[in-house]
Amino acid sequence: MLAERDPHVDATRLLAELVPPPRFGAVRFATYVPDQAQPSQARAVRALEEFAAGIGGPAPGSARRKWFRVREPERPSIPGGVYLDGGYGVGKTHLLASLWHAAEAPPEQKAFGTFVELTNLVGALGFRPAVDALSSHRLVCIDEFELDDPGDTVLVSTLLTRLAAAGVRLAATSNTLPGKLGEGRFAAADFMREIQGLSARFTSLRIDGDDYRHRGLPQAPDPYTDAQVTAAAARTPGAALDDFGPLAAHLAAVHPSRYGALVDGVAAVFLRGVRPVTDQAAALRLVVLADRLYDREVPVMASGVRFDQLFSAEMLSGGYRKKYFRAVSRLTSLARDSSRFA
């Protein structure tokens, strides 16, 4: 049961795990198939290939270097930071991981982690040691970049400023343009200087398109019965069988940065009694769990409501809506993967 696990992750492991997760361990630019109807996808690949080629050369200059400039769309030229903006399911994480793999630097000089993992690293090490640890890197890739509270805004702004001054190349993905980060979630106007400072450190590459996970596929699969889920878990090696309510409650006692460790060694997750979530904090924790399960390619077999009914209409229209849509997309994909256990 996941609800009985209480993983503890030390700082050494946090640093060692700053690499692309298993789902993206073998991806490359060549394995990304641009949608011919969306020219921005092919442009993004070309721009990132150029960016990767520059990482093996001389380090960027001082913090006074101009980080943002307007580029011609057909002939991209990227300075020290690149920001992949687009809807969920257009392959942003695939491209970010491909950039990490393509960058001509030893693995120990490249870091790849989610925004949550990055902020937790700072919390575990302390700000100055985290800056020292990451300043020796040639490239830092940040997936799922979001600013959900003012403290994170100031923290990340300062961290990226220090890394940029050290010559570290930066890359990030998000569903939100850099100038819009934090909008709808806190009083962004009060922290506009920090938000604009973050935006100035990146060249934005817009990636348009539909969610590739569900292109031409039916809606979320119907849930199983409790008895079917229980029986399937009993015959599956490495299964984790949980009731949805207790698991959701347990997540509140585990820091989101440890959700990856929470599913270590789990071959499949079996959930009984999935029901709509009404509390926003609980919903956001489920978003992080969905991301870690998806990263690690862990199928999810469930009873209760379909995953496209997990979040309320109010949540799906609020400030965190893109996170919730991403979670629904990924959980639906994992639910389809679980059909082999039926």
Side-chain angles (χ1 to χ4, degrees):
M1 293 176 61
L2 297 181
E4 294 180 348
R5 296 184 168 203
D6 185 23
H8 292 276
V9 182
D10 61 27
T12 301
R13 176 174 171 176
L14 289 174
L15 280 169
E17 291 186 342
L18 289 179
V19 297
R23 181 178 291 272
F24 302 100
V27 299
R28 299 293 187 272
F29 290 129
T31 63
Y32 181 83
V33 182
D35 185 345
Q36 297 304 309
Q38 303 291 345
S40 62
Q41 294 187 8
R43 283 200 298 268
V45 173
R46 293 197 299 270
L48 289 171
E49 287 175 332
E50 177 188 332
F51 186 68
I55 291 173
S62 70
R64 293 187 295 274
R65 177 175 176 140
K66 186 176 181 181
W67 289 91
F68 181 87
R69 61 182 177 182
V70 177
R71 302 185 301 102
E72 292 295 327
E74 293 300 328
R75 194 159 177 240
S77 179
I78 302 175
V82 59
Y83 187 99
L84 307 181
D85 172 71
Y88 52 92
V90 296
K92 299 186 302 298
T93 303
H94 181 134
L95 290 174
L96 188 69
S98 297
L99 171 63
W100 187 93
H101 290 298
E104 295 182 4
E108 63 272 14
Q109 293 182 13
K110 300 183 288 186
F112 183 106
T114 65
F115 182 80
V116 169
E117 290 168 335
L118 181 67
T119 55
N120 185 59
L121 177 69
V122 176
L125 295 178
F127 184 80
R128 183 68 256 174
V131 171
D132 291 341
L134 294 174
S135 291
S136 62
H137 287 56
R138 304 288 295 174
L139 173 68
V140 171
C141 297
I142 310 166
D143 199 19
E144 302 157 16
F145 199 110
E146 290 288 348
L147 297 181
D148 295 337
D149 63 63
D152 282 348
T153 303
V154 176
L155 174 69
V156 175
S157 176
T158 306
L159 175 65
L160 297 186
T161 296
R162 300 290 179 83
L163 296 181
V168 179
R169 298 295 185 97
L170 307 171
T173 73
S174 181
N175 302 124
T176 307
L177 284 167
K180 300 292 185 180
L181 288 167
E183 196 171 82
R185 295 181 287 283
F186 64 88
D190 295 339
F191 296 87
M192 191 53 65
R193 183 180 67 180
E194 285 81 4
I195 292 172
Q196 289 175 342
L198 288 175
S199 177
R201 300 197 179 283
F202 296 95
T203 292
S204 293
L205 296 177
R206 176 69 187 178
I207 305 176
D208 301 301
D210 300 320
D211 185 351
Y212 77 92
R213 286 183 285 267
H214 309 302
R215 214 173 283 155
L217 294 175
Q219 65 177 8
D222 290 331
Y224 297 90
T225 66
D226 286 353
Q228 288 174 314
V229 171
T230 302
R235 60 176 178 262
T236 303
L241 174 64
D242 284 87
D243 291 305
F244 182 75
L247 175 60
H250 179 64
L251 292 179
V254 180
H255 191 278
S257 64
R258 292 189 276 146
Y259 288 4
L262 187 71
V263 299
D264 276 353
V266 174
V269 168
F270 296 83
L271 293 177
R272 291 181 298 215
V274 174
R275 61 176 183 266
V277 180
T278 57
D279 177 73
Q280 186 132 263
L284 290 171
R285 289 191 288 268
L286 288 169
V287 168
V288 179
L289 179 63
D291 288 337
R292 301 294 77 77
L293 291 171
Y294 183 78
D295 288 345
R296 288 157 176 76
E297 302 180 306
V298 179
V300 179
M301 186 178 189
S303 65
V305 302
R306 292 198 315 260
F307 284 125
D308 58 5
Q309 300 171 353
L310 185 59
F311 306 112
S312 68
E314 181 180 4
M315 288 180 176
L316 293 177
S317 62
Y320 297 103
R321 60 188 177 278
K322 292 180 180 179
K323 286 190 173 186
Y324 295 139
F325 278 120
R326 184 182 75 230
V328 168
S329 170
R330 290 182 165 186
L331 286 171
T332 297
S333 178
L334 295 176
R336 291 197 184 104
D337 292 344
S338 74
S339 62
R340 65 180 182 269
F341 301 119

